Amino acid sequence: MKRPFLYIVLSFCLLLLPFGQTTANCNDSIRLSLLTCAPGEEIYSLFGHTAIRYENPSQGIDIVFNYGLFSFNTPNFILRFSLGETDYQLGATDYSYFAGEYAFFGRSVWQQTLNLTNKEKVELIRLLQENYHPKNRVYRYNFFYDNCATRPRDKIEESITEKVIYPAEPQDGSHSFRDIVHQYCKGHPWARFGIDLCIGSEADQPITQ
């Protein structure tokens, strides 16, 4: 869950300029990666963040597709965030700015390069491009099911030809969503209290595979 910077808006048009050429050049040097960011201290950053990095050295592109942009000017933002009634949007910004923000706040960023074929790379870029179109950019944030972590996952899955299999231990239903939320709210009792009040009974559903 990432705080937006105003300069991101200034770079949108410049960043989109070379994208159309990418689909015509299936270049092995293109790299797409999943970025996983450490949690912060603010309520919107307690759960960390996820984004997709797109590198194309031949065209001088190194940008991050980030589904975690929102406006602090939204009335009752914290309440709406906890209720899952906040509008988020997809942004694209230079990687150096993205990484610089996390370095400034002392938050780690891990990069995992995606093992994609050229065809899958092109498809993922196309999906991100399509999602970045102004009419598709904004979405209604959902605390559990539709957020800045699930959206990158969904786009990666859509781009892959075969089925994605997650090597995770089966969940036996002994933990709920609320249990997981509490893990991330340790040391933040007021945030935990506020979120508990807002997320409702849906959070008590058992987590299954």
Side-chain angles (χ1 to χ4, degrees):
M1 299 164 185
K2 183 179 182 298
R3 184 171 64 180
F5 275 73
L6 292 178
Y7 59 70
I8 294 174
V9 177
L10 301 177
S11 62
F12 282 158
C13 294
L14 295 175
L15 291 173
L16 286 179
L17 184 61
F19 283 7
Q21 301 169 10
T22 302
T23 56
N25 302 320
C26 293
N27 194 326
D28 286 336
S29 67
I30 293 175
R31 182 164 70 165
L32 289 143
S33 305
L34 187 68
L35 302 180
T36 304
C37 309
E41 294 298 314
E42 302 293 340
I43 187 171
Y44 55 81
S45 65
L46 289 177
F47 306 95
H49 187 54
T50 303
I52 296 175
R53 183 181 183 183
Y54 165 40
E55 299 169 84
N56 187 339
S58 67
Q59 295 186 11
I61 298 173
D62 189 0
I63 61 174
V64 175
F65 286 95
N66 173 15
Y67 284 91
L69 302 189
F70 56 81
S71 173
F72 282 111
N73 296 324
T74 303
N76 303 310
F77 171 78
I78 298 299
L79 175 62
R80 292 171 62 89
F81 167 78
S82 299
L83 290 171
E85 296 179 354
T86 304
D87 285 333
Y88 271 50
Q89 65 175 301
L90 171 63
T93 190
D94 189 272
Y95 173 76
S96 62
Y97 290 126
F98 182 92
E101 177 188 355
Y102 282 91
F104 179 81
F105 288 104
R107 297 171 61 187
S108 299
V109 177
W110 293 270
Q111 175 169 320
Q112 300 175 82
T113 300
L114 299 172
N115 184 23
L116 302 176
T117 66
N118 278 333
K119 181 179 179 181
E120 290 167 342
K121 291 177 184 178
V122 170
E123 177 62 10
L124 179 53
I125 294 168
R126 187 193 69 79
L127 289 170
L128 292 168
Q129 240 184 307
E130 181 181 13
N131 223 179
Y132 186 70
H133 192 282
K135 69 178 182 180
N136 301 326
R137 207 176 281 173
V138 178
Y139 69 98
R140 176 54 55 92
Y141 180 93
N142 181 282
F143 203 82
F144 298 124
Y145 300 113
D146 194 357
N147 51 60
C148 48
T150 64
R151 292 235 162 186
R153 176 204 64 194
D154 292 345
K155 294 306 167 188
I156 292 169
E157 285 190 341
E158 287 178 44
S159 69
I160 294 174
T161 304
E162 303 295 335
K163 181 180 179 181
V164 179
I165 300 174
Y166 294 98
E169 291 297 322
Q171 301 294 324
D172 60 6
S174 61
H175 291 87
S176 67
F177 289 104
R178 195 182 303 276
D179 293 329
I180 303 300
V181 169
H182 286 176
Q183 290 180 20
Y184 285 90
C185 291
K186 289 179 180 177
H188 301 271
W190 286 109
R192 170 176 166 168
F193 176 73
I195 293 174
D196 269 343
L197 284 178
C198 293
I199 55 180
S201 60
E202 181 184 22
D204 297 310
Q205 296 180 17
I207 297 175
T208 65
Q209 189 68 11

